Amino acid sequence: MPEKVVIVGSGPAAWTAAIYAARAQLNPLVFQGNPYDNTNKANGTLPLGQLALTTEVENFPSWPAGNTREYLRTALKADDVDFPYWVAGDKEQPTHGINGPELMALMRQQAVNFGTRIESKDVTKVDLSKQPFTLTMHDGTTVETLTLIVASGARANYLGLPSEDKYKNKGVSACAVCDGFLPIFRNKPLVVVGAGDSAAEEATYLTKFASKVYMVVRRDQMRASKIMAERAMNHPKIEMKWNTVVEEVLGNEKQVTGVKLKSTKGAADETLDVAGMFLAIGHTPNVHFLDGQLELNEMGYVKWTTVARTYTSVDGVFAAGDVADDYYRQAISAAGTGCMAALDAERWLGHHGHV
Ligand code: FAD
């Protein structure tokens, strides 16, 4: 017998879809990825998704400031309680409600509580050409399913510098909307790397908090749309650093203190004193395993084919979260489309006489 609903993913979209599908008695099976795979480690595509890579999450509704620790102890299954993500040992978190790994572990637990089954495997191949669909895992096992929810997320692109890696969560960020508000960046100079629309938008956004924002641009012009580029370039708090690239992130072990810039035109190197570096050089959606069987948009994300639905180009396949979202890329929006995908799958099964 084929599965009714298989979900590929492990972020807010996947677990929200699983909660809804499980409560609809669809007995969902989630493939959350292989935690031991070195490519997953390098790409940051491990179980629990992108939020497992961060500390405080201040903008997911229902997690206000306070000590949530005791609640977490009772809410999570025993072997997750000692999971290595507790912030600062026994220290309470008076100003932050929850951190990323905790939030994700709670979402997964909520899905499990309603009967979701989980396999820690990567889906490496799919056959969406006929019903039921067939998925192949990294260990060669296969599963058949009537509906598929693709919630495999995306990953932020980084420069790939060892010093950048060292200061992730200590001043290096790939999400201004997520992190710009944090106290470590308040009234401090910051740097944004990138030249597209999102770089212009992130730099402008960060001027709300920073004393000054430098934009590091490899060439002598922006790639952003004219209006976005001009808004950034004319902003009194933004200074453009044309024809430069970041060569090294500098820090005092605890936090970023500056960046070393190299000229792409042979000019002298320069050091900027900044408290944070924000990358805005794009995201890569995790679509490799689909091997061209779902239509993608011009930026490589899974295309939603109907407005306000999670339908894709293949009937019975739904997409949720960052894998289909090149614009918002937030935990709450991923969770929202995860809910939609599960309801869409449930209705598809009903319409085809499977429930
Ligand atoms: P993701 O979180 O991207 O998870 C996808 C997961 O799917 C992968 O990790 C992997 O486990 C699994 N997967 C992928 N491919 C396969 C496969 N082939 N087989 C099996 N499993 C697979 N948003 C906020 O709202 N607030 C914040 O404070 C915030 N902070 C952030 C900080 C950082 C450092 C980053 C990188 C992002 C942050 N975001 C934040 C953005 C947020 O994390 C994402 O929008 C959200 O996680 C997207 O969720 P998702 O469900 O689409 O999938």
Side-chain angles (χ1 to χ4, degrees):
M1 279 284 282
E3 299 287 338
K4 287 195 173 102
V5 182
V6 166
I7 300 165
V8 182
S10 187
W15 300 123
T16 307
I19 290 165
Y20 273 77
R23 294 190 74 251
Q25 311 286 323
L26 299 176
N27 196 20
L29 174 62
V30 176
F31 288 98
Q32 66 167 354
N34 177 3
Y36 306 109
D37 181 77
N38 284 334
T39 308
N40 283 344
K41 281 184 192 155
N43 284 342
T45 50
L46 291 169
L48 300 184
Q50 293 175 68
L51 281 188
L53 308 173
T54 193
T55 50
E56 296 86 8
V57 177
E58 297 186 325
N59 55 9
F60 198 88
S62 84
W63 290 103
N67 178 8
T68 52
R69 196 171 169 149
E70 281 315 307
Y71 170 65
L72 291 165
R73 282 200 179 286
T74 57
L76 290 173
K77 70 179 192 304
D79 45 325
D80 259 354
V81 167
D82 287 325
F83 72 144
Y85 307 122
W86 297 110
V87 171
D90 280 334
K91 229 173 82 190
E92 292 186 3
Q93 303 167 53
T95 55
H96 303 294
I98 193 142
N99 70 39
E102 291 165 349
L103 181 61
M104 293 317 306
L106 283 169
M107 282 193 204
R108 180 169 63 184
Q109 184 69 51
Q110 195 170 350
V112 168
N113 292 351
F114 291 115
T116 298
R117 294 162 298 145
I118 300 173
E119 294 219 25
S120 296
K121 295 179 181 178
D122 281 333
V123 176
T124 52
K125 221 165 95 184
V126 295
D127 180 356
L128 308 179
S129 64
K130 56 181 186 310
Q131 270 285 351
F133 307 127
T134 306
L135 311 188
T136 306
M137 273 31 90
H138 72 271
D139 59 358
T141 52
T142 59
V143 70
E144 290 186 336
T145 183
L146 296 169
T147 67
L148 172 64
I149 296 177
V150 177
S152 49
R155 50 190 195 270
N157 297 336
Y158 288 87
L159 300 171
L161 303 169
S163 56
E164 169 194 59
D165 206 38
K166 178 171 169 186
Y167 286 103
K168 276 182 189 164
N169 290 326
K170 295 176 179 173
V172 170
S173 167
C175 183
V177 176
C178 312
D179 295 336
F181 186 82
L182 295 177
I184 56 168
F185 300 126
R186 285 296 171 98
N187 298 316
K188 305 265 173 49
L190 303 174
V191 64
V192 171
V193 182
D197 273 346
S198 36
E201 197 167 302
E202 302 232 333
T204 310
Y205 178 80
L206 287 171
T207 59
K208 293 180 211 243
F209 316 105
S211 56
K212 179 179 182 99
V213 178
Y214 298 99
M215 283 194 78
V216 170
V217 179
R218 177 185 285 274
R219 296 189 300 149
D220 60 0
Q221 58 186 32
M222 299 279 287
R223 272 189 304 104
S225 57
K226 194 163 180 284
I227 183 162
M228 297 288 295
E230 278 178 1
R231 192 177 302 155
M233 289 187 305
N234 295 332
H235 197 289
K237 275 192 179 177
I238 296 180
E239 181 179 335
M240 307 305 295
K241 290 287 174 189
W242 302 111
N243 300 311
T244 53
V245 290
V246 172
E247 193 176 45
E248 192 183 350
V249 180
L250 308 170
N252 59 10
E253 299 301 313
K254 283 195 193 137
Q255 202 193 320
V256 169
T257 56
V259 290
K260 199 166 146 197
L261 300 186
K262 189 174 171 55
S263 166
T264 56
K265 294 275 184 196
D269 291 351
E270 189 181 353
T271 297
L272 301 177
D273 293 330
V274 291
M277 176 172 90
F278 287 80
L279 283 309
I281 52 173
H283 286 73
T284 304
N286 301 320
V287 294
H288 184 69
F289 66 104
L290 298 169
D291 198 23
Q293 294 180 58
L294 286 187
E295 198 180 332
L296 306 179
N297 72 12
E298 62 285 357
M299 293 170 75
Y301 290 73
V302 175
K303 190 171 175 179
W304 279 315
T305 50
T306 306
V307 175
R309 297 287 181 272
T310 62
Y311 304 169
T312 70
S313 56
V314 174
D315 192 33
V317 180
F318 307 91
D322 283 14
V323 73
D325 176 3
D326 59 53
Y327 192 70
Y328 298 105
R329 289 193 290 255
Q330 294 296 297
I332 190 69
S333 47
T337 52
C339 154
M340 291 161 65
L343 294 176
D344 286 342
E346 183 187 357
R347 282 169 199 166
W348 188 97
L349 289 163
H351 185 71
H352 289 81
H354 295 296
V355 286

